[in-house]
Amino acid sequence: MRLTQTQIDDFHREGWLFLPEVFTPEEVALLKREAEGIYAEHRPEVWREKNGAPRIAFAAHTYNEAFRCLGSHPRLVEPVEQIFGEKLYMHQFKINAKSAFTGDVWQWHQDYGTWKRDDGMPEPRAMNISVFLDEVMPINGALMLVPRSQNAGDLEAGHDRETTSYPLWTLDNDTVSKLVEQGGIVAPTGKAGGVLLFHGNLVHGSAGNITPYPRKIVYLTLNAVSNHIRKPTRPEFIAHTDFAPIEPVPDNALTELARGSFRQAAE
Ligand code: SIN
Ligand code: MN
């Protein structure tokens, strides 16, 4: 899937781009079912909130067939390749739950802050491209972005190990306020199947979810191969060290898998 020049220009100016209805309801239903199965497992890749609800399932593309297809899907890989102009590898893969009633906050941060400090990534030539697995609404913990904040570069951050179950390099309130004065805040919302990509230095965060509506989002962090990490300190399932370029699967791979597993279930 190729982006238009207008979409590329929008991305470079605003630091983010939302593409509605990229994956079909059939593809999303398969991914959603598989995500729920993974959250029910007790394995080291599944991190929980302080209250025990699932928060993140890491690296599902390495142990689940549907997410293996999603991790190499041309509708995700090609737009990022187009922006960086080179082949990509998977730096990180996560399915964030933001569970109904219990999903916890993600404090204001820039992703590149963590990739640089914890993983030794040379440049912000990686980015998140995400797929909504549930409808993202203004009320269920939508991701909030500060448009154009990618231009502030890599900001000073503090390592917050207390607020949630997941350590994060976070920004202070003054820094966020100044950037918001200039760029405002947007919270892209939309049906399951929508795709959101954003620059590695774009400031973002999300509030807790106290609604009955879960908000699952899958994030592929795709890194330009030449920008591979130099000093990994985190477990392999959080920051991968397989720098082999991703070869996209056929565009219908997920649909075929959904139909195959449906046939299997019916037999
Ligand atoms: C993240 O910033 O890595 C995740 C935020 C979210 O899923 O709300
Ligand atoms: Mn982030």
Side-chain angles (χ1 to χ4, degrees):
M1 186 178 82
R2 289 189 70 78
L3 301 174
T4 64
Q5 193 54 47
T6 310
Q7 288 172 323
I8 294 178
D9 293 345
D10 276 1
F11 168 79
H12 285 303
R13 191 183 58 253
E14 300 299 317
W16 64 279
L17 190 64
F18 179 61
L19 308 167
E21 297 182 50
V22 172
F23 290 90
T24 64
E26 187 181 27
E27 291 170 320
V28 172
L30 169 71
L31 295 166
K32 203 165 146 168
R33 199 171 60 233
E34 295 296 313
E36 280 155 11
I38 292 169
Y39 288 143
E41 289 178 31
H42 286 271
R43 48 186 309 152
E45 294 92 342
V46 178
W47 283 48
R48 298 191 178 273
E49 309 282 17
K50 287 179 174 171
N51 59 32
R55 179 174 178 85
I56 313 171
F58 283 104
H61 68 303
T62 63
Y63 53 79
N64 176 281
E65 186 56 15
F67 288 107
R68 186 189 70 76
C69 284
L70 190 73
S72 304
H73 205 287
R75 282 173 242 160
L76 301 176
V77 174
E78 285 172 7
V80 181
E81 256 180 22
Q82 208 184 337
I83 288 172
F84 287 141
E86 69 170 290
K87 296 296 274 185
L88 310 166
Y89 77 92
M90 187 69 68
H91 172 60
Q92 186 176 81
F93 187 103
K94 54 190 195 286
I95 316 167
N96 283 5
K98 193 76 83 172
S99 306
F101 295 109
T102 52
D104 208 351
V105 62
W106 283 83
Q107 313 92 303
W108 290 109
H109 68 282
Q110 296 172 301
D111 289 332
Y112 180 62
T114 299
W115 304 333
K116 182 180 86 166
R117 290 173 181 85
D118 290 352
D119 308 326
M121 186 185 287
E123 301 290 332
R125 278 177 61 72
M127 74 170 126
N128 279 334
I129 183 158
S130 62
V131 183
F132 295 180
L133 296 191
D134 295 303
E135 181 168 358
V136 176
M137 302 176 249
I139 53 173
N140 64 347
L143 196 63
M144 296 188 279
L145 315 170
V146 182
R148 301 192 284 283
S149 56
Q150 78 279 10
N151 298 325
D154 166 32
L155 298 159
E156 215 176 287
H159 206 195
D160 182 350
R161 299 160 186 269
E162 302 300 325
T163 306
T164 74
S165 61
Y166 188 68
L168 197 64
W169 288 93
T170 60
L171 303 173
D172 64 52
N173 293 351
D174 280 351
T175 306
V176 175
S177 302
K178 283 191 190 108
L179 292 167
V180 170
E181 260 170 46
Q182 294 157 17
I185 298 178
V186 295
T189 54
K191 286 190 223 160
V195 163
L196 175 67
L197 62 155
F198 54 97
H199 192 283
N201 273 335
L202 196 79
V203 173
H204 62 284
S206 60
N209 185 10
I210 60 167
T211 75
Y213 309 112
R215 190 233 64 178
K216 285 183 284 305
I217 301 181
V218 186
Y219 295 87
L220 277 64
T221 304
L222 298 173
N223 191 11
V225 169
S226 65
N227 192 44
H228 67 83
I229 60 171
R230 306 300 204 260
K231 286 188 189 145
T233 64
R234 302 192 288 174
E236 171 66 34
F237 66 79
I238 298 186
H240 300 296
T241 53
D242 175 357
F243 308 137
I246 297 172
E247 291 308 330
V249 294
D251 190 80
N252 64 354
L254 272 174
T255 308
E256 289 293 303
L257 194 63
R259 292 184 184 168
S261 49
F262 177 74
R263 270 197 298 275
Q264 254 171 22
E267 275 161 12

